[in-house]
């Protein structure tokens, strides 16, 4: 199913970074990354896939499929907890069933395009599994602190999904027991370790930079304007529905997409029911239920109050709600579901989910314009050029690195380097000869005497040839751009 979603340049840039690491540039010297590095999570996974399959367009699909499979299995294990027998099986199946959510549209686009923030859930779920399965020992908080720090080097969202929930839960448990701190060393160690992990991750990134490694933009957290809150509420609702596979908005009532979405609403209802149950009986719940419930609330609140909820394209920031909701549903609701004899009805829903997954998986792989353009460039012996961000790195990966297109941006008629997901050496005229540009738009905008000013013409002059490949325009010059 991951192959039914076109690879984009975010995932392609990660594949190129992993390829560079695999060939000796372990610190990614010369690279400028975005405000998340994926250095300790996704990039090692890409390296392992590339070690077996080489660099090509399937790397992102394979990594996304591996990550999603791991999240499904870990969510089922965490939902099962220490329960055995029938209840343990129901817990695991409920969580895994809810996770069978990716459908065509936004759900698959965010969950199966690239590992991204969903991949962050793998080490976090492993942390909560450790807390669930191992009795309190001195080394457990040490391991949790190390894993949280390791993961924060890759993704600062761990502050919201791991650090803050662990600190809140530890503080609440210490307060509710009214004992001396000596008797609550485990919760205290977990809370202090969570805070310490943020400092350790910051120090690690500084050390990498000072050693000549990659440069990274500092993540900025800002609050959205109050006037946008009504829009943010509905965007958050639609995003949650889409991630659970239940976004029926804008679909025909009698259409197959709407029917599939309505079936997936079962997962949304179960997750919401479980969250309400966990909050209502918060003090009586186990540590894992408390952490996942708080993490789900914090993540939703951060998304709602932040700038990403102004349109549904920011859904990738919220992917953690799916495994968190699935774990809560399995762990909290198995007893009530068994008691109320609702398991057979859920079994029917699980069969429907499985059938939908099989149906989606049987669709043929998508052939994008980027793939067509990569093949065309290779066939016409054009091997090095420039392009807009969303076409550059993905063209490079789709061609197996035989055609190399480097990202460049423009503002009005002015071209500039975006300094995001790129390497400085790509733009050295002594090392590379770039003679073409890949961009969007009708061919007429890039021809002589065009009615609309073209930044490429304004900078490089009139191209010698202009070609149209799907939605893409390829302009060729006989000089080094």
């Amino acid at each position: 199913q991951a192959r039914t979603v076109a690879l984009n340049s975010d995932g392609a840039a990660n594949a190129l970074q992993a390829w560079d690491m695999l060939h000796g540039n372990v610190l990614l010297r010369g690279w400028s990354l975005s405000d998340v590095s994926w250095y300790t999570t996704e990039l090692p996974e890409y390296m392992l896939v590339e070690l077996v399959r080489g660099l090509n367009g399937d790397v992102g699909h394979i990594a996304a499929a591996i990550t999603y499979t791991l999240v499904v299995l870990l969510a089922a294990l965490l939902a099962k907890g220490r329960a055995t027998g029938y209840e343990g099986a129901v817990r695991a199946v409920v969580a895994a069933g809810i996770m069978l959510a990716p459908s065509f549209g936004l759900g698959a686009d965010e969950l199966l395009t690239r590992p991204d923030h969903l991949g962050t859930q793998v080490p976090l779920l492993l942390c909560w599994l450790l807390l669930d399965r191992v009795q309190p020992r001195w080394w457990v908080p040490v391991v949790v602190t190390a894993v949280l720090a390791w993961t924060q080097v890759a993704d600062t969202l761990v502050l919201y999904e791991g650090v803050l929930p662990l600190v809140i839960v530890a503080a609440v448990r210490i307060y509710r027991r009214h004992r001396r701190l000596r008797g609550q060393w485990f919760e205290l160690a977990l809370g202090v370790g969570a805070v310490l992990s943020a400092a350790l991750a910051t120090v690690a990134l500084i050390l990498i930079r000072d050693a000549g490694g990659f440069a990274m933009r500092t993540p900025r957290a800002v609050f959205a304007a109050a006037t946008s809150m009504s829009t943010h509420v509905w965007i958050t609702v639609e995003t949650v529905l889409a991630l659970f596979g239940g976004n029926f908005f804008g679909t025909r009532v009698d259409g197959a997409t709407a029917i599939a979405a309505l079936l997936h609403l079962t997962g949304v209802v179960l997750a919401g029911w479980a969250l309400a149950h966990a909050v209502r009986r918060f003090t009586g719940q186990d540590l894992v239920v408390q952490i996942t419930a708080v993490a789900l609330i914090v993540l939703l609140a951060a998304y709602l109050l932040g700038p990403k909820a102004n349109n549904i394209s920011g859904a990738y920031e919220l992917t953690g709600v799916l495994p968190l909701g699935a774990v809560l549903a399995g762990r909290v609701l198995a007893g009530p579901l068994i008691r109320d004899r609702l398991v057979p009805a859920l079994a029917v829903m699980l069969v429907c989910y499985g059938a939908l997954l099989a149906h989606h998986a049987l669709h043929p792989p998508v052939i994008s314009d980027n793939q067509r353009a990569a093949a065309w460039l290779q066939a016409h012996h054009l091997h090095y050029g420039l392009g807009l961000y969303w076409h550059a790195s993905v063209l490079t990966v789709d061609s197996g690195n035989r055609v190399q297109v480097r990202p460049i941006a423009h503002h009005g008629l002015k071209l500039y380097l975006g300094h995001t997901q790129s390497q400085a050496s790509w733009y050295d005229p002594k090392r590379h000869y770039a003679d073409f540009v890949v961009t969007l738009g009708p061919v007429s905008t890039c021809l002589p005497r065009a009615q609309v000013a073209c930044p490429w013409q304004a900078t490089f002059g009139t191209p010698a040839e202009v070609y149209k490949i799907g939605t893409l325009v390829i302009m060729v010059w006989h000089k080094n751009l």
Side-chain angles (χ1 to χ4, degrees):
Q1 188 176 347
R3 296 187 72 199
T4 65
V5 184
L7 182 69
N8 67 27
S9 272
D10 281 344
N14 295 152
L16 292 174
Q17 291 152 19
W19 187 249
D20 207 12
M21 292 173 68
L22 196 61
H23 288 77
N25 188 7
V26 178
L27 292 179
L28 291 177
R29 298 178 187 275
W31 277 88
S32 296
L33 308 185
S34 63
D35 56 359
V36 283
S37 72
W38 313 123
Y39 185 67
T40 53
T41 53
E42 270 63 61
L43 297 191
E45 179 184 22
Y46 275 102
M47 288 171 66
L48 291 173
V49 174
E50 290 169 353
L51 190 63
V52 178
R53 294 293 299 268
L55 181 64
N56 55 65
D58 258 350
V59 167
H61 302 317
I62 295 169
I66 290 172
T67 293
Y68 201 87
T69 302
L70 287 173
V71 173
V72 172
L73 295 176
L74 290 172
L77 282 173
L78 188 58
K80 179 182 179 297
R82 298 183 183 181
T84 57
Y86 187 54
E87 182 179 349
V90 171
R91 283 184 172 198
V93 170
V94 166
I98 291 174
M99 289 295 299
L100 298 183
S103 55
F104 290 124
L106 183 69
D109 287 349
E110 297 304 337
L111 298 171
L112 290 173
T113 303
R114 56 196 183 279
D116 214 294
H117 294 293
L118 186 71
T120 302
Q121 305 306 311
V122 173
L124 287 178
L125 290 172
L126 286 171
C127 268
W128 313 147
L129 267 173
L130 178 67
L131 293 178
D132 187 45
R133 298 297 178 91
V134 179
Q135 293 294 330
R137 298 285 189 274
W138 69 266
W139 54 268
V140 173
V142 175
V143 173
V144 170
T145 300
V147 173
L148 288 177
W150 177 270
T151 313
Q152 281 175 87
V153 171
D155 185 3
T156 50
L157 265 185
V158 177
L159 287 169
Y160 302 97
E161 297 179 287
V163 173
L164 191 55
L166 195 52
V167 170
I168 292 173
V169 169
V172 169
R173 290 170 74 90
I174 291 171
Y175 173 77
R176 292 289 300 179
R177 290 177 181 174
H178 297 293
R179 299 183 201 161
R180 293 181 178 179
L181 291 180
R182 182 181 299 178
Q184 302 185 76
W185 68 269
F186 188 66
E187 285 82 0
L188 183 61
L190 287 175
V192 172
V195 174
L196 181 62
S197 70
L200 291 173
T202 302
V203 170
L205 287 169
I206 291 173
L207 291 175
I208 291 171
R209 184 194 64 197
D210 291 347
F214 59 82
M216 198 175 114
R217 291 207 316 266
T218 302
R220 292 199 314 149
V222 297
F223 285 110
T227 53
S228 64
M229 278 298 99
S230 59
T231 300
H232 280 216
V233 168
W234 287 111
I235 292 295
T236 301
V237 169
E238 188 175 6
T239 299
V240 171
L241 291 177
L243 292 173
F244 278 80
N247 185 17
F248 58 88
F249 291 116
T251 61
R252 287 180 51 189
V253 174
D254 58 345
T257 302
I259 294 171
L262 293 172
L263 286 173
H264 278 294
L265 285 179
T266 305
V268 182
V269 171
L270 290 174
W273 178 13
L275 180 60
H277 188 284
V279 170
R280 189 171 62 251
R281 303 184 182 181
F282 189 78
T283 56
Q285 298 287 1
D286 62 64
L287 180 61
V288 169
V289 170
Q290 290 176 326
I291 291 173
T292 50
V294 173
L296 187 52
I297 292 170
V298 169
L299 188 56
L300 285 169
Y303 185 77
L304 176 65
L305 298 174
K308 293 293 186 179
N310 59 355
N311 63 73
I312 201 166
S313 64
Y316 60 91
E317 300 276 8
L318 203 57
T319 52
V321 301
L322 179 58
L324 288 170
V327 169
L328 269 180
R331 201 168 179 107
V332 172
L333 299 181
L337 291 172
I338 294 171
R339 184 183 63 244
D340 296 337
R341 299 180 180 179
L342 294 174
V343 174
L346 288 178
V348 173
M349 296 303 299
L350 179 63
V351 171
C352 293
Y353 277 30
L356 287 170
L357 182 68
H359 172 72
H360 296 330
L362 291 175
H363 277 67
V366 66
I367 304 297
S368 67
D369 285 342
N370 288 320
Q371 289 172 292
R372 295 187 181 95
W376 186 92
L377 288 165
Q378 188 175 346
H380 288 75
H381 308 290
L382 295 167
H383 300 295
Y384 207 94
L386 305 172
L388 297 176
Y389 175 80
W390 290 111
H391 308 287
S393 293
V394 69
L395 278 164
T396 304
V397 173
D398 279 336
S399 71
N401 212 30
R402 297 178 183 88
V403 175
Q404 298 174 331
V405 185
R406 304 313 186 189
I408 196 167
H410 68 85
H411 181 72
L413 297 180
K414 183 177 177 59
L415 298 179
Y416 64 95
L417 302 184
H419 297 296
T420 299
Q421 305 285 50
S422 61
Q423 191 174 27
S425 63
W426 289 350
Y427 308 97
D428 185 352
K430 296 179 181 178
R431 301 176 63 177
H432 303 292
Y433 186 94
D435 57 356
F436 68 88
V437 167
V438 181
T439 186
L440 282 170
V443 173
S444 59
T445 62
C446 299
L447 293 175
R449 301 176 183 175
Q451 297 298 314
V452 180
C454 176
W456 313 104
Q457 271 197 47
T459 304
F460 302 130
T462 303
E465 294 100 21
V466 180
Y467 304 94
K468 180 78 169 175
I469 308 294
T471 59
L472 301 180
V473 173
I474 300 174
M475 296 168 281
V476 181
W477 284 262
H478 300 312
K479 64 180 180 180
N480 191 356
L481 306 179

